[in-house]
Amino acid sequence: MLEHIVPPTVQTAHSLSDRADAGALLFPEEWPAVATAVSSRQAEYATVRACARDALTKLGQPPVALVPGENREPRWPAGIVGSMTHCTGYRGAAVAHDRDIAALGIDAEPNAPLPDGDGLLNVIAHREEIDLLAALPACGTAWDRLLFSAKECVYKAWFPLTGRWLGFEEAIVRISPAGTFEAQLLVEGPTLDGEVLDGFSGTWLHADGLLLTAIAVPYRRTSERGVGNEARAGPVKGPIVSTGRRRTSCRREDRRDHRLRATAGAPGRLAAVLGPADVRSDAYGPADASSVPAPSVDVVPAVRLHRRPVPG
């Protein structure tokens, strides 16, 4: 399904259930993250990595261990960018050469309204976003959950370019029923090959009870942009990224506690309680750190929280 919403230069793989042999395919380096987890968590963790290796094979890459870096981000082979996701009934991965794609973000969610009514929506969304959701057609798509998925997707694309946390309140996402979305950054974005990235363009799909979102940031060759009145003769080797300085997106007194990530998709992040079907307790073992990093600061959540495991 992911292949329908990513560029041809991106390779994907997915599974609708855990693979029976996935655990046997784990590399020794990958086991510590789930060594004390229950078997269902280990199977989930192993299956999404098996998907990632399948996608890498399509790029002509050998199978490698996929373990978290020091900031708990996924470490891909040199020259490769990628993203992983999983939710109930779905595990998926997407990868590309960094000469084609500068950053990737994917997310999968069940097509069901966010729990806790407007409470959770108010945590993740700006007033403008809530009004935009209300104007979207009633067509069987859980628009609030899709907004959540799109914001997770934005974060997964943002972090490899910046190495910084991004709060829910630091981007505005505008969804089109035509299968696309635009994310406007409210903080200073990274500079990619000399151009400031002030937002992301993404695609989404509703199929088989699932919502899938994807962002593929193209590697911008300077020969395509031109420099001054002349275009350079060819691309530089790999995208040049700088992160710039952070801007304040709203007045202190107006900022809600959005630094928590109410999510089915980021390692070690604090998640708002999403109900029995979605929340796993600490008994499931340590949080998996293979998707995106946790915030580096303590937060005082405005809703009751549990620490939950995350995709990867």
Side-chain angles (χ1 to χ4, degrees):
M1 290 185 283
L2 277 171
E3 66 273 15
H4 299 302
I5 57 171
V6 295
T9 52
V10 177
Q11 296 296 332
T12 68
H14 74 270
S15 179
L16 301 181
S17 62
D18 289 326
R19 301 183 185 182
D21 61 343
L25 300 177
L26 277 179
F27 282 65
E29 306 96 300
E30 295 172 331
W31 268 111
V34 289
T36 61
V38 297
S39 58
S40 58
R41 172 61 187 143
Q42 291 175 345
E44 176 184 76
Y45 172 92
T47 297
V48 78
R49 274 163 178 72
C51 290
R53 281 187 273 274
D54 288 347
L56 286 169
T57 297
K58 296 177 183 179
L59 280 183
Q61 298 292 311
V64 294
L66 299 169
V67 296
E70 64 178 51
N71 290 312
R72 306 174 69 177
E73 77 280 9
R75 292 191 295 182
W76 298 96
I80 302 297
V81 296
S83 185
M84 292 183 280
T85 186
H86 61 67
C87 68
T88 301
Y90 189 84
R91 291 86 171 89
V95 296
H97 292 289
D98 66 3
R99 64 174 179 264
D100 299 317
I101 301 294
L104 271 174
I106 62 169
D107 190 69
E109 298 289 333
N111 182 42
L114 288 173
D116 193 32
D118 290 339
L120 187 53
L121 181 59
N122 287 330
V123 169
I124 70 164
H126 287 267
R127 181 73 255 172
E128 177 185 342
E129 292 171 317
I130 294 173
D131 292 342
L132 289 171
L133 292 184
L136 290 169
C139 59
T141 299
W143 297 116
D144 58 346
R145 182 80 73 155
L146 182 60
L147 175 66
F148 170 78
S149 180
K151 289 208 168 189
E152 286 297 285
C153 198
V154 167
Y155 182 60
K156 291 180 180 181
W158 159 274
F159 186 82
L161 296 175
T162 66
R164 301 200 309 261
W165 180 257
L166 186 73
F168 279 121
E169 85 286 4
E170 293 176 317
I172 291 179
V173 172
R174 300 176 177 93
I175 297 170
S176 165
T180 62
F181 64 90
E182 297 292 329
Q184 175 191 353
L185 293 172
L186 300 181
V187 293
E188 189 169 350
T191 299
L192 181 61
D193 284 359
E195 292 186 354
V196 175
L197 197 66
D198 58 6
F200 297 95
S201 296
T203 50
W204 65 271
L205 177 69
H206 171 197
D208 299 333
L210 295 167
L211 298 172
L212 301 177
T213 53
I215 291 173
V217 180
Y219 166 40
R220 300 177 179 181
R221 291 171 172 82
T222 53
S223 59
E224 296 171 357
R225 292 188 281 105
V227 178
N229 294 324
E230 297 180 1
R232 292 187 183 177
V236 295
K237 184 178 180 180
I240 301 171
V241 177
S242 63
T243 60
R245 295 184 62 186
R246 192 178 187 88
R247 295 197 304 262
T248 302
S249 59
C250 50
R251 297 195 308 270
R252 181 182 296 274
E253 60 270 26
D254 291 337
R255 292 174 68 94
R256 288 171 291 170
D257 184 17
H258 291 283
R259 293 188 71 85
L260 65 92
R261 305 291 294 189
T263 177
R269 288 192 258 178
L270 291 175
V273 175
L274 298 181
D278 294 314
V279 176
R280 301 181 179 91
S281 71
D282 289 339
Y284 276 73
D288 176 17
S290 66
S291 179
V292 282
S296 59
V297 298
D298 292 333
V299 297
V300 181
V303 292
R304 186 166 60 96
L305 301 174
H306 288 305
R307 188 173 292 277
R308 64 187 286 185
V310 295

